Amino acid sequence: EEGAPGRRGERERERSELGPAERGPGAAFHMFVLMEDLLDKLKLLSYEEEVLRRHNMRPLSRHYFALPTNPGEQFFMFCTLAAWLISKAGRPFEQPQECDDPNAVISNVLSELRSF
């Protein structure tokens, strides 16, 4: 049945497994829209003052995480933002360093997020 709740989830999962060409003409640009939304939300949370100035970092471009340009830099920025957001949510979380093991950092972030 078309309106059945289980069937709807299956359709969404099938659609997400399709390539951009099969999902429609706008699917290739969806990641850019998500990144712009993320940047707007970070600005509302004052990430420029609380993260960028504190760590002496450059502001994110509108498509920073949508395009793979410098994976090491992007990973560190992601971890820095994740640590800041976790701390902003009221949980103490140590700021990761660039020399930290990436697997350990991600494991710590995921562990903290699961505890929410």
Side-chain angles (χ1 to χ4, degrees):
E1 185 172 313
E2 187 66 28
R7 183 70 186 135
R8 180 177 173 195
E10 288 176 29
R11 284 194 317 266
E12 289 175 7
R13 185 176 43 249
E14 289 168 0
R15 193 175 310 134
S16 69
E17 294 170 356
L18 297 175
E22 292 87 11
R23 288 183 294 198
F29 301 102
H30 184 67
M31 202 44 116
F32 295 97
V33 173
L34 288 176
M35 181 60 210
E36 288 183 21
D37 288 344
L38 171 67
L39 191 56
D40 288 342
K41 291 173 184 176
L42 288 172
K43 286 180 180 180
L44 288 172
L45 292 171
S46 303
Y47 96 104
E48 291 139 324
E49 292 82 23
E50 296 182 25
V51 177
L52 299 181
R53 287 191 184 137
R54 182 174 178 210
H55 298 288
N56 197 26
M57 297 176 149
R58 291 178 292 136
L60 299 177
S61 69
R62 294 180 337 160
H63 305 129
Y64 186 78
F65 290 116
L67 298 171
T69 54
N70 183 342
E73 177 186 305
Q74 289 172 311
F75 178 76
F76 182 67
M77 178 61 83
F78 168 78
C79 293
T80 300
L81 290 171
W84 171 68
L85 288 169
I86 291 168
S87 297
K88 194 146 180 87
R91 303 278 181 115
F93 195 84
E94 190 173 322
Q95 174 64 40
Q97 303 299 314
E98 284 189 82
C99 60
D100 290 347
D101 176 33
N103 293 321
V105 173
I106 289 297
S107 178
N108 291 340
V109 168
L110 290 175
S111 175
E112 194 61 41
L113 293 176
R114 284 186 195 106
S115 72
F116 278 105

